[in-house]
Each structure stands twice: as C-alpha cells, then as structure tokens.
Amino acid sequence: MSFLKIENLISGYKNGFKLGDISFSIKKSSFCGIIGPNGSGKSTLLKTIAGILNPDSGKIILNDEDINLMEPRIRSQKVAYVGQFIENKELRVFDYVIMGRLPYFKSFQVFETKEDIEIASYYLNLLGIYEYKNRFIYELSGGQQQLVAICAALVQTPEILLLDEPTAHLDLKYQIEILDLLYTFHEDCKLTIITVFHDLNLASEYCDYLILLKDGKIVEKGEPEQVIDYKILEKVYQIVILVQKNPISKKPFVVPVSKKKLKN
Ligand code: ADP
Ligand code: MG
C-alpha cells in the first residue's frame, strides 16, 4: 500500500503557472527527490503537499486520509516543511525550534510543556546545535541555520518531512553533512522524506525515488536508474549529457558536456 498518494493534482497561482495533473505515490520511509529545471514547478509541488498552497483540484492522500480535509493542526503533526529561507532570523535558536511544537499545544495553552522542551532539547543535541540554543539565528553560518530549520521541523515529529533545496548555497562538506543526516532519519527512524534538489547527482546519490518535472508536468518518475537517463535529461535540459555510474554507490551520475568541446 502506498503511504503518500498524489492523484491528478492541479495547483499553482491565479492566472499564472499551474502544475498539470500530477500523480505519483511513494512508500513509507522513502527518500524521494523532486528534480527539474528552474521554474518547472518543484517548489510549487512541495508547497502544495505542505498545505501552503491549496490545490485547484486533485487529492493528496496520506495513509488513506485526504490531507486537505484535515484540521491544519493535525496536518502539521504529520507533515513538516523546511523552506528555502528562515524568515525569522532575529529569533533565538531555541525560540525558533520550540515553535515546531505549536501543532501539539492544547487550546488556550500559551507556554511550552516540559515534554516540548525535552523534545526540542533532544533534537538540538542530536543535530549538534544545542550549544547555539541561545544565539540569534542571524549570527549562525548558512549550514548551521539550515540545521536549525531542519531541527524545528523534526521537533514537529512529522510522518513526512518536506525540504526545498536544503543544501542550496552550502559548501560541499555541509551539503553532504545535511544529506547524510537526513539519510540517517530515513534509515533509522523510517521517516519519509521528500526533497527538492537542484543538483541531479546529489538527488541520484541519496534518493530511492525521483520525480522529474518540466513545465509543471511529470516527465519521468521512478528509481534513479530509470530517471537519470541521458536521453530523458537531454530533452529536459536541452544540453548534451553523459551518464556514468558512481563506482562506490553504483548510483548514476551526470556529466554535462560543454558545447564548445563538442565542436572540436
Ligand atoms: P522551481 O521551484 O522548479 O524553480 P517554482 O515552483 O518556484 O519552480 O515556480 C514555477 C513557476 O511558478 C515559475 O514560473 C514561477 O515564476 C511561478 N511562481 C512561483 N511563485 C509564484 C507566485 N507566488 N506567484 C505567481 N507565480 C509564481
Ligand atoms: Mg524552487
């Protein structure tokens, strides 16, 4: 049985871009990547699954329940979203992270409970950022800020974690650190992860399922071996591409070829 099922989803912006008829399903504890050129609708799809955008039509079914019919508080207990930027950087790390517990606050509850503090402290420790808990977010490096954003989402204890280009603007070491960390949650905690990737090679390396978008439509979906195919990618990206196999992970990786070199 599929854990998350997207059926004929149409979503987007008034009189503007629309995702067209998106359908796919993923298994529990999948590490799924959404890839595609700039403007293909990756963030729009993720925001629709997160409930930030309401779909025009179609269904998002999580464990047999339509998540658009769920109370927002219940939905936030199941689906957590990490956007491309932290908006409240003037908050202290702990105050930002504890907000991940808001979906669990009872009516009229103003302050976090002892349990909320314990959960936040647990994830701050696990992500190695407990020592920064009293610092302002803007004082931290880009990589540390991304860990804070992921920490707030984990504190929500979701069933699905959605991330929009979590490694954009980070150096290679931090990219791998963040993705390895996510991979650990996927493997050890069976957390289902859906991530937008800019980098096809990182997507191929970490994901067990990929969705390739172009102009708001799915061009291909499946295991990396099926999607990271030079014929498919050349059509989508309009460049010449070689696909080879990573000798260690055995996953496909992409080598773009310069037009200048092709002429020689
Ligand atoms: P991607 O994440 O793949 O780069 P997006 O989902 O962000 O693509 O955007 C898809 C299209 O929707 C783009 O053409 C973009 O300009 C447009 N778009 C994005 N956000 C908005 C918005 N808030 N209002 C109107 N159009 C938008
Ligand atoms: Mg985007």
Side-chain angles (χ1 to χ4, degrees):
M1 196 193 76
S2 54
F3 178 62
L4 177 75
K5 199 166 181 197
I6 311 271
E7 290 176 354
N8 307 107
L9 192 71
I10 297 182
S11 178
Y13 312 97
K14 254 196 177 149
N15 307 319
F17 174 88
K18 296 275 179 206
L19 289 172
D21 206 18
I22 301 282
S23 297
F24 65 90
S25 42
I26 55 174
K27 289 189 223 125
K28 185 164 171 53
S29 88
S30 174
F31 197 133
C32 169
I34 303 173
I35 52 174
N38 288 338
S40 58
K42 303 182 294 298
S43 297
T44 305
L45 175 56
L46 204 71
K47 281 181 186 160
T48 310
I49 302 172
I52 297 164
L53 277 176
N54 275 327
D56 299 5
S57 60
K59 283 186 180 163
I60 304 170
I61 313 283
L62 175 65
N63 258 338
D64 282 336
E65 261 190 284
D66 186 334
I67 64 176
N68 286 308
L69 302 178
M70 282 177 197
E71 209 188 302
R73 200 174 71 90
I74 302 295
R75 182 182 184 141
S76 303
Q77 292 175 3
K78 296 175 188 281
V79 184
Y81 168 81
V82 179
Q84 279 181 290
F85 308 100
I86 291 189
E87 275 155 24
N88 302 316
K89 287 192 188 171
E90 63 290 348
L91 287 180
R92 290 186 194 272
V93 168
F94 188 83
D95 296 337
Y96 183 81
V97 164
I98 201 79
M99 286 198 308
R101 297 304 297 165
L102 284 175
Y104 297 91
F105 276 32
K106 309 250 169 0
S107 314
F108 306 114
Q109 183 184 338
V110 182
F111 297 107
E112 59 271 14
T113 62
K114 196 167 157 258
E115 190 194 2
D116 295 327
I117 295 172
E118 274 168 13
I119 293 172
S121 305
Y122 171 78
Y123 282 105
L124 282 162
N125 260 314
L126 204 63
L127 270 59
I129 50 173
Y130 188 81
E131 62 182 295
Y132 304 123
K133 75 184 173 93
N134 293 321
R135 297 267 284 273
F136 289 109
I137 296 173
Y138 63 74
E139 292 175 330
L140 305 180
S141 73
Q144 290 164 338
Q145 289 187 13
Q146 191 56 269
L147 286 173
V148 170
I150 293 171
C151 190
L154 290 171
V155 160
Q156 247 171 283
T157 58
E159 293 177 27
I160 297 196
L161 179 59
L162 308 171
L163 306 109
D164 200 345
E165 298 194 28
T167 58
H169 320 298
L170 300 183
D171 65 36
L172 199 54
K173 178 175 176 282
Y174 248 120
Q175 289 182 22
I176 300 301
E177 254 181 52
I178 299 255
L179 291 170
D180 275 352
L181 177 83
L182 294 173
Y183 198 84
T184 307
F185 281 102
H186 143 79
E187 250 196 345
D188 297 354
C189 312
K190 306 289 168 227
L191 180 63
T192 307
I193 297 178
I194 306 181
T195 307
V196 171
F197 278 94
H198 193 67
D199 186 314
L200 299 176
N201 291 332
L202 289 177
S204 173
E205 189 67 15
Y206 284 92
C207 296
D208 47 48
Y209 193 83
L210 293 177
I211 294 160
L212 172 63
L213 294 179
K214 189 180 185 193
D215 301 330
K217 295 194 175 57
I218 295 183
V219 177
E220 188 67 62
K221 57 189 172 184
E223 291 177 1
E225 289 70 17
Q226 188 181 335
V227 179
I228 304 297
D229 172 283
Y230 83 94
K231 281 191 205 137
I232 297 171
L233 295 176
E234 285 188 347
K235 248 191 210 159
V236 168
Y237 288 90
Q238 301 281 303
I239 54 168
V240 175
I241 281 173
L242 294 178
V243 172
Q244 300 190 334
K245 207 184 238 191
N246 180 322
I248 295 172
S249 67
K250 312 287 181 222
K251 290 291 198 88
F253 73 90
V254 166
V255 185
V257 182
S258 141
K259 275 187 189 151
K260 288 210 162 80
K261 303 276 180 218
L262 281 172
K263 282 183 197 150
N264 297 334

